Amino acid sequence: MRTTGLGSLPGDDMREWTKVLLEAVDIPFLPELPARPYGDMLSRAIALVTELAADLQPAGWRLTGGGDATASLDQRRARALLREDLDVLEEYADGYVGPLKVQVTGPWTLAATVERPRGDKILADHGARRDLAQALAYGVELHLAEVRKRLPGADVVLQVDEPALPAVLAGAIPTASGWGKHRSIDGPGAVELLSLFTGFGPTVVHCCAARPPIEVFTRSGASGIAVDISLLNEPGWEQLAIATEAGSTIYAGLVPTTGALPNQAQAAAPLIRRWRELGLDPELMKKVVITPACGLAASPSPRDAQARLALLRKIVDTVGEAADA
């Protein structure tokens, strides 16, 4: 069994976090530090969109209708920050051999968040959301190639973050006026854009919202699924069981991101109990990757976030003992 985090962390010290993560978890990752300007998950994604120009408005990111040559100062700053972070990763992980994870905001969450040049979300325009997804996928491909070039010993895993996808599928994303909702997207449509990102190597799709569409993730070709275990309802557990038996790697969010820190037995209990109730093979539980419930950016301090990451390996011991029992 292994441990990892899901991307975001508190504070603004990339060097310190990079050093910590190379020791604290079994699958280190390039962290997102949203306390820094342009350090959040959306700015990271906009930095990777290399064929479309965008600028930062008071309401958030907006495509400007131009090509890459007309990228705004904000977009160029986001790209510069990402390059600086890769420099730090290359410096501290020099000679590293093993799994290494990078995260990107998925096409549906990006489309539900970024605005078109003339207003409203890109989600409203079928052609625009496809163009954005394709441009993001191309940027991600270049990004992964750059990480592999800098760290040739790393087995790079791509994490695609889709917190807004349940709302997209349910037709629950508000229009610009606030009086209506954008039309829902069907499952095959969601799979189509997600599948643009699952051909670059091992890919885990992460959704820490309630009712994660696990079947969409597996049909897109993702090899892993990351969910907040505390939010899974009965249908969600059934889908997770099917995915597990089909060979998907489950990234089980067991440590809360804020509030009191549970002990390892309390944190592990929901996974162990439901695994047994569903009659799943205990050996498959040993392949689960243990994670926090979601990103840790809301943690009150870097020290608190480190304590939550430290708990992960203790949970591994508890889950492993339960699997052997």
Side-chain angles (χ1 to χ4, degrees):
M1 297 182 69
R2 296 177 295 175
T3 64
T4 192
L6 293 172
S8 68
L9 294 165
D12 58 7
D13 193 336
M14 178 59 70
R15 289 182 174 274
E16 182 61 27
W17 269 121
T18 301
K19 289 191 293 183
V20 167
L21 293 174
L22 287 167
E23 298 292 336
V25 292
D26 302 309
I27 306 176
F29 55 95
L30 179 66
E32 298 162 355
L33 305 181
R36 305 176 302 167
Y38 312 106
D40 61 282
M41 60 185 286
L42 293 175
S43 297
R44 277 277 205 248
I46 292 295
L48 293 173
V49 176
T50 56
E51 296 181 332
L52 299 173
D55 64 5
L56 190 58
Q57 297 291 311
W61 285 100
R62 178 193 68 176
L63 295 186
T64 59
D68 193 52
T70 61
S72 68
L73 178 60
D74 289 310
Q75 191 174 15
R76 295 198 302 273
R77 285 174 172 169
R79 290 173 180 170
L81 182 64
L82 179 56
R83 287 194 298 270
E84 291 170 8
D85 289 351
L86 287 177
D87 290 341
V88 172
L89 179 65
E90 182 180 13
E91 176 184 350
Y92 284 96
D94 181 42
Y96 174 79
V97 176
L100 177 75
K101 185 163 64 64
V102 297
Q103 302 81 218
V104 64
T105 304
W108 290 108
T109 296
L110 202 62
T113 309
V114 176
E115 292 190 346
R116 298 180 294 178
R118 297 183 181 179
D120 215 337
K121 305 302 183 186
I122 291 171
L123 184 63
D125 187 321
H126 181 274
R129 67 186 186 230
R130 168 163 286 280
D131 289 345
L132 179 62
Q134 290 175 336
L136 178 62
Y138 179 62
V140 167
E141 183 177 16
L142 296 178
H143 180 54
L144 295 175
E146 178 68 15
V147 173
R148 292 182 178 116
K149 178 182 177 181
R150 289 170 178 256
L151 298 171
D155 298 320
V156 182
V157 177
L158 174 65
Q159 175 182 311
V160 180
D161 293 315
E162 283 288 11
L165 185 52
V168 169
L169 292 168
I173 301 295
T175 59
S177 68
W179 293 102
K181 307 287 186 183
H182 289 286
R183 293 178 60 183
S184 62
I185 304 299
D186 62 16
V191 168
E192 183 182 6
L193 291 194
L194 268 181
S195 64
L196 296 174
F197 297 81
T198 57
F200 304 132
T203 305
V204 53
V205 182
H206 166 227
C207 181
C208 56
R211 299 181 300 280
I214 294 170
E215 187 176 5
V216 169
F217 301 158
T218 56
R219 289 186 176 182
S220 73
S223 55
I225 300 163
V227 293
D228 180 347
I229 291 298
S230 70
L231 296 180
L232 284 185
N233 57 15
E234 192 64 30
W237 272 108
E238 291 172 0
Q239 290 183 28
L240 197 70
I242 292 171
T244 299
E245 292 180 331
S248 295
T249 300
I250 306 304
Y251 288 62
L254 294 176
V255 176
T257 59
T258 57
L261 200 64
N263 62 42
Q264 63 199 66
Q266 292 169 332
L271 176 69
I272 296 170
R273 183 180 66 253
R274 294 298 286 136
W275 207 271
R276 289 171 173 169
E277 290 173 352
L278 290 165
L280 290 168
D281 185 347
E283 287 299 312
L284 292 177
M285 189 160 55
K286 294 181 180 180
K287 299 180 181 180
V288 171
V289 179
I290 306 300
T291 77
C294 201
L296 292 172
S299 184
S301 68
R303 178 175 294 182
D304 177 83
Q306 289 183 39
R308 294 175 193 276
L309 292 175
L311 179 58
L312 299 176
R313 283 182 174 157
K314 297 178 181 179
I315 295 172
V316 163
D317 294 338
T318 300
V319 174
E321 290 172 2
D324 289 332

